[in-house]
Amino acid sequence: MKFKRQRSQEVGVDLTPLIDVVFLLLIFFMVSTTFTRESHLNIELPEANGERSESEAKLIDVVINAEGQYILNDRSLVNNRRETLQRAVSELAGDNTSLPFIITADARTPHEFVVRAMDVAGRLGFARLSITTEREAEGQ
């Protein structure tokens, strides 16, 4: 009797379902991930000689970038007008004018914006006004 020989199939692993699962996981993680967009200001501080002061827990910190944009305690203001800055400082400090008022301005900031911040501090009655600088390098 003559029997037909059965052809043997090649033994292998089918990768198609594995690739499908990996793509589904990739799509799931892309859709479910939240992206936070943080904005940071690059500020070049002017140099000065002096002693470093101790920082306190509660203070008014005004950062001014080179374009004159104000950031008050890590919160950006909508414009750089005097009234906007004054209103924001009043809301933040309330009646407590004994808080330290710190101005950090970029070295390329126009003088007008620094004077405006100092004027707002003076009008609201802040007496503890500080301007942040960078320590001068030794030998200069």
Side-chain angles (χ1 to χ4, degrees):
M1 216 177 200
K2 195 171 185 184
F3 292 107
K4 286 188 176 180
R5 293 188 111 196
Q6 291 183 350
R7 292 187 177 173
S8 63
Q9 293 181 349
E10 290 184 31
V11 177
V13 178
D14 188 17
L15 294 178
T16 307
L18 178 67
I19 293 171
D20 288 344
V21 169
V22 169
F23 279 131
L24 285 175
L25 285 173
L26 180 67
I27 291 171
F28 172 76
F29 287 123
M30 285 174 54
V31 170
S32 64
T33 303
T34 58
F35 296 100
T36 58
R37 187 174 177 192
E38 296 180 16
S39 60
H40 297 279
L41 294 176
N42 293 326
I43 294 179
E44 260 183 59
L45 294 175
E47 295 179 353
N49 287 328
E51 295 300 318
R52 185 178 294 226
S53 65
E54 297 295 321
S55 62
E56 295 185 17
K58 182 143 180 162
L59 52 89
I60 306 295
D61 186 26
V62 178
V63 178
I64 311 168
N65 67 4
E67 290 79 34
Q69 179 185 5
Y70 292 110
I71 289 108
L72 183 64
N73 284 13
D74 298 325
R75 196 181 86 200
S76 183
L77 300 183
V78 293
N79 58 36
N80 57 3
R81 292 180 35 216
R82 179 186 322 271
E83 296 81 20
T84 306
L85 180 62
Q86 188 168 349
R87 189 176 318 117
V89 170
S90 295
E91 289 174 6
L92 189 62
D95 293 335
N96 190 2
T97 59
S98 65
L99 293 174
F101 195 97
I102 299 173
I103 299 174
T104 304
D106 191 286
R108 296 178 308 265
T109 301
H111 190 64
E112 167 191 7
F113 298 108
V114 178
V115 171
R116 185 178 296 164
M118 293 170 69
D119 183 46
V120 165
R123 285 184 186 202
L124 293 176
F126 287 93
R128 297 176 62 191
L129 179 67
S130 301
I131 296 178
T132 306
T133 60
E134 194 171 81
R135 184 172 288 278
E136 200 172 70
E138 294 296 323
Q140 286 188 357

